[in-house]
Amino acid sequence: MATSVKKPAAKKPLARKTAAAKAAGKAAERVLPPNQGEPSLSLMAPDYWDQACQELMKNDRILKKLIPKYGTGFLVTRGDPFTTLARAIVGQQISVSAAQAVWDRMVIAVGKKVTPARILAATPEALRAAGLSGRKVEYIRDLADHFASGRLHANQWRDMDDESVIRELSTIRGIGRWTAEMFLIFNMIRPDILPLDDIGLIKAISLNYFSGEPVSRHEAREVAANWAPWRTVATWYMWRSIDPIPVEY
């Protein structure tokens, strides 16, 4: 379970480059090419990233090997809260590549940029034709309606702890704990999120710590005890260990 962490006001998650990024020189200063219908994003790391990596390498024998292997990378985020949550709904229970393909078709279907108004204006048939299941069409339209109607307190999320944000997001159809945790990781960049319902994380823990043997949630939680208070960072490296291409929402 994710630890409730009140984000310090002084934190500015995208405020600086990591030491690894600085060492990479100009290559680290480039801007990520925009996905369809989304703004570009400068490669800037969460301000806790270097400290987290150092402590994780000190405390965990597996991460001591993995972090140097992917040392020039770090967690980045694209889009506003609606975009992040919409992408998370699209990505539920399917692979990263399949989710990106559906998202790209959905962008074309709604017209260049995915917004609450455009989603609500699109017919359910158009969204299904883009590759969304009937259930996901309902979910993404309910999400759009929550944003369009102002029923969410998005402007207050930065000052709310993890569990409070998860509770509010869970009032939206189709958004359970996993989706809310993806939001905390990829949009709010909270440092200590452990998404135990994430298939990729469990697979990575199995391969890296248990020689590929099946892993229970309890066992995964025990492994992650060494990662606190940087479980988001450790999770990101677990994902990288099974897929070198970073996940983005």
Side-chain angles (χ1 to χ4, degrees):
M1 182 178 294
T3 303
S4 296
V5 177
K6 191 82 171 182
K7 189 176 180 184
K11 294 286 188 184
K12 295 182 179 180
L14 298 179
R16 64 175 180 80
K17 299 182 183 69
T18 63
K22 291 176 182 177
K26 291 184 179 179
E29 296 177 1
R30 66 183 175 84
V31 173
L32 286 173
N35 286 332
Q36 291 191 57
E38 298 175 34
S40 60
L41 177 71
S42 296
L43 286 176
M44 305 297 286
D47 63 353
Y48 55 74
W49 201 263
D50 278 345
Q51 179 184 352
C53 289
Q54 291 168 8
E55 293 183 11
L56 288 168
M57 286 190 292
K58 179 180 178 181
N59 296 331
D60 189 280
R61 61 183 178 83
I62 299 299
L63 289 171
K64 185 177 181 179
K65 300 175 182 178
L66 286 180
I67 289 175
K69 186 175 181 180
Y70 301 107
T72 58
F74 44 79
L75 176 66
V76 296
T77 181
R78 293 179 186 268
D80 58 10
F82 176 77
T83 301
T84 300
L85 290 166
R87 288 185 68 99
I89 287 174
V90 169
Q92 290 173 355
Q93 303 302 316
I94 60 176
S95 69
V96 173
S97 59
Q100 186 62 51
V102 173
W103 181 265
D104 291 342
R105 292 194 297 269
M106 192 172 72
V107 169
I108 295 171
V110 303
K112 295 186 178 180
K113 185 176 181 180
V114 178
T115 64
R118 288 177 182 270
I119 289 293
L120 293 173
T123 65
E125 291 74 20
L127 295 174
R128 283 198 295 270
L132 291 176
S133 67
R135 185 62 56 84
K136 286 186 180 180
V137 169
E138 295 175 6
Y139 292 165
I140 205 164
R141 286 177 62 85
D142 189 57
L143 173 68
D145 184 63
H146 271 77
F147 273 88
S149 67
R151 298 204 302 275
L152 298 174
H153 302 92
N155 61 334
Q156 299 177 24
W157 288 341
R158 291 287 170 189
D159 297 320
M160 293 165 61
D161 63 41
D162 298 338
E163 291 301 323
S164 295
V165 176
I166 289 172
R167 281 195 296 272
E168 176 154 341
L169 290 176
S170 296
T171 64
I172 304 168
R173 291 186 64 192
I175 295 186
R177 187 171 191 89
W178 178 85
T179 306
E181 287 172 338
M182 292 304 101
F183 180 78
L184 289 172
I185 291 172
F186 287 100
N187 190 274
M188 303 191 71
I189 319 182
R190 294 290 175 90
D192 196 33
I193 305 300
L194 180 66
L196 289 173
D197 294 321
D198 187 80
I199 296 172
L201 173 61
I202 297 300
K203 178 181 178 181
I205 291 175
S206 169
L207 292 173
N208 285 296
Y209 294 86
F210 295 88
S211 301
E213 293 296 319
V215 176
S216 68
R217 289 170 60 92
H218 175 72
E219 289 169 326
R221 188 180 289 107
E222 284 192 332
V223 168
N226 283 337
W227 302 347
W230 310 116
R231 291 180 294 181
T232 292
V233 180
T235 295
W236 187 87
Y237 281 105
M238 287 292 105
W239 285 331
R240 293 297 302 278
S241 74
I242 60 173
D243 188 349
I245 300 175
V247 179
E248 298 169 17
Y249 283 96

